[in-house]
């Protein structure tokens, strides 16, 4: 149980284009999902907290107009990187928690490369 | 604000030997502590957590962790390491807004 999927697992795009990443909780409902970014050999940096049916809460320094988050249902959250640039290249990971203050289960991650 | 420290960037251990990956925390109130493991180019896999109760927590793949309140530590342990345990290990503490704060990670390398 407690499986989280992400799609795509990797994507290569041209600078200036937008990329959408999906995060799904497959066997549980998640009121809250989280989006992280991880640089090589570094820890995870929380980008935003996504709540079903409401606006996402972004961490300080994260551009909300660049990283659009939508949490349309209790099992799906999407992250759209708009007008991507090479500096946005990174490993993006989502997580979901079935309950408040409980274990977060992580997706397998999406490797984004912007040329 | 809560924080987690993993003082070792890398831990090397021979297969069959016990392993310890260290973690200390700082948090106001009762800590909710977690250990995750990450294999290359993969997301994080949950290993174990401490919420309350017994100080020794048993988790997946034979791992366990000991919560020590006086030393504010939550070290990850395994009695007998396997080569397949080689991975990046993260300690984390849960804070306000259900947000996890991660340590910097410790690379475990188990050699034959």
């Amino acid at each position: 149980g407690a499986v989280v999927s992400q799609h795509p697992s990797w994507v290569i795009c041209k600078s200036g284009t937008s990329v959408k990443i999906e995060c799904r909780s497959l066997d549980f409902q998640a009121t809250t999902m989280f989006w992280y970014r991880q640089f090589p050999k570094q820890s995870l940096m929380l980008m935003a907290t996504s709540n079903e049916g409401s606006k996402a809460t972004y961490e300080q320094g994260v551009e909300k107009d660049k990283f659009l988050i939508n949490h349309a249902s209790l099992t799906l959250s999407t992250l759209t990187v708009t007008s991507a640039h090479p500096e946005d290249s990174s490993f993006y990971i989502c997580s979901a928690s079935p309950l408040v203050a409980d274990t977060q289960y992580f997706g397998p991650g999406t490797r984004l490369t912007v040329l | 604000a809560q924080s987690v420290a993993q003082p070792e960037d890398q831990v090397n251990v021979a297969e069959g030997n016990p392993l310890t990956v260290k973690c200390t925390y700082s948090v106001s109130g009762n800590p909710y502590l977690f250990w995750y493991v990450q294999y290359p180019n993969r997301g994080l896999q949950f290993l174990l957590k401490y919420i309350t109760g017994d100080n020794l927590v048993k988790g997946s793949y034979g791992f366990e962790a000991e919560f020590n309140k006086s030393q504010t530590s939550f070290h990850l342990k395994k009695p007998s390491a396997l080569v397949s345990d080689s991975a990046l290990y993260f300690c984390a503490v849960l804070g306000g807004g259900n947000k996890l704060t991660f340590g910097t990670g410790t690379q475990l390398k188990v050699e034959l």
Side-chain angles (χ1 to χ4, degrees):
Chain A
V3 178
V4 176
S5 70
Q6 274 184 249
H7 179 80
S9 56
W10 60 271
V11 57
I12 301 173
C13 69
K14 293 183 179 180
S15 185
T17 60
S18 295
V19 174
K20 179 185 283 188
I21 303 170
E22 291 186 351
C23 176
R24 294 181 185 271
S25 56
L26 298 184
D27 52 3
F28 65 96
Q29 293 185 330
T31 305
T32 305
M33 292 184 171
F34 302 85
W35 287 96
Y36 296 84
R37 184 172 179 177
Q38 185 181 31
F39 292 101
K41 299 187 178 181
Q42 293 189 26
S43 189
L44 280 71
M45 180 191 80
L46 179 65
M47 298 175 66
T49 303
S50 167
N51 295 294
E52 186 266 339
S54 63
K55 292 183 178 180
T57 303
Y58 291 82
E59 295 300 300
Q60 192 172 9
V62 178
E63 298 176 62
K64 62 180 181 181
D65 294 331
K66 180 166 188 61
F67 299 99
L68 301 179
I69 293 173
N70 183 273
H71 194 154
S73 75
L74 287 172
T75 59
L76 173 64
S77 177
T78 60
L79 168 68
T80 301
V81 183
T82 62
S83 186
H85 288 91
E87 57 265 30
D88 299 323
S89 298
S90 191
F91 194 52
Y92 293 88
I93 308 175
C94 73
S95 73
S97 180
L99 294 170
V100 175
D102 201 349
T103 305
Q104 288 183 27
Y105 296 94
F106 286 79
T110 297
R111 173 75 59 192
L112 171 64
T113 302
V114 185
L115 301 177
Chain B
Q2 66 271 7
S3 65
V4 172
Q6 293 181 243
E8 303 154 317
D9 290 338
Q10 182 161 323
V11 169
N12 296 323
V13 64
E15 188 175 52
N17 283 0
L19 70 86
T20 298
V21 183
K22 295 179 180 178
C23 171
T24 58
Y25 66 90
S26 174
V27 64
S28 57
N30 295 321
Y32 287 13
L33 298 161
F34 299 82
W35 274 103
Y36 288 88
V37 60
Q38 185 180 32
Y39 293 95
N41 296 309
R42 300 296 302 274
L44 274 65
Q45 294 180 31
F46 169 71
L47 282 179
L48 50 82
K49 65 181 177 184
Y50 172 82
I51 303 296
T52 186
D54 290 341
N55 290 343
L56 185 63
V57 179
K58 294 189 181 297
S60 306
Y61 313 118
F63 284 93
E64 58 189 28
E66 186 167 9
F67 171 68
N68 188 317
K69 188 173 183 177
S70 63
Q71 297 184 5
T72 61
S73 67
F74 189 55
H75 301 331
L76 181 70
K77 299 181 180 183
K78 187 173 182 180
S80 178
L82 299 172
V83 172
S84 57
D85 292 330
S86 299
L88 186 59
Y89 290 80
F90 289 101
C91 182
V93 63
L94 193 68
N98 206 26
K99 297 179 184 179
L100 281 175
T101 298
F102 287 90
T104 49
T106 298
Q107 185 70 48
L108 174 66
K109 187 174 182 181
V110 182
E111 300 167 310
L112 290 171

